[in-house]
Amino acid sequence: MSDMHYQNYIEKIVRDELKKAYERDKDLCTCDICFQDIMTLTLNQLPPMYVSSDIGHIMTMYNLTKDQLQAQVTVELQKAIDQVKKHPKH
Ligand SMILES: [Zn+2]
């Protein structure tokens, strides 16, 4: 197992989407506290997906296409962003 690189694939998608959100939404605070907050809130709402390099296999296992997964991430990420904007922890 040690030669396989597992990562939470969902986390990667959320991270990428959040970067795009920062570019779209200039009111959104980009500090570490808010970043971690948004990541945690979003990831709590999504199933963890630890995958190897074989993404296709994992997607089949979860019966989700990448687009469906992306759509789910977008919805949960927006909720987390709204929440953090209303109640920043600083
Ligand atoms: Zn902040």
Side-chain angles (χ1 to χ4, degrees), residues 28-45:
L28 188 57
C29 178
T30 58
C31 79
D32 281 354
I33 298 167
C34 293
F35 176 81
Q36 284 304 331
D37 231 16
I38 293 169
M39 288 296 292
T40 306
L41 283 167
T42 307
L43 290 170
N44 282 347
Q45 302 305 317

Side-chain angles (χ1 to χ4, degrees), residues 2-90:
S2 60
D3 60 335
M4 292 180 85
H5 291 286
Y6 280 86
Q7 61 170 322
N8 188 341
Y9 186 63
I10 294 261
E11 186 173 336
K12 183 193 176 306
I13 297 177
V14 173
R15 204 176 281 272
D16 289 349
E17 284 303 305
L18 184 48
K19 276 186 206 149
K20 285 187 219 160
Y22 283 148
E23 281 163 28
R24 274 199 311 269
D25 187 348
K26 297 296 176 194
D27 294 334
L28 188 57
C29 178
T30 58
C31 79
D32 281 354
I33 298 167
C34 293
F35 176 81
Q36 284 304 331
D37 231 16
I38 293 169
M39 288 296 292
T40 306
L41 283 167
T42 307
L43 290 170
N44 282 347
Q45 302 305 317
L46 297 162
M49 192 179 285
Y50 291 94
V51 300
S52 66
S53 51
D54 191 357
I55 301 275
H57 171 69
I58 301 295
M59 290 301 167
T60 308
M61 204 172 95
Y62 277 83
N63 202 23
L64 281 175
T65 66
K66 192 167 183 297
D67 284 350
Q68 287 172 316
L69 189 62
Q70 191 87 35
Q72 208 182 340
V73 166
T74 306
V75 169
E76 295 303 337
L77 182 64
Q78 193 54 55
K79 282 191 219 164
I81 287 172
D82 291 345
Q83 193 172 332
V84 169
K85 274 172 101 172
K86 263 182 245 164
H87 306 286
K89 284 190 177 166
H90 56 78

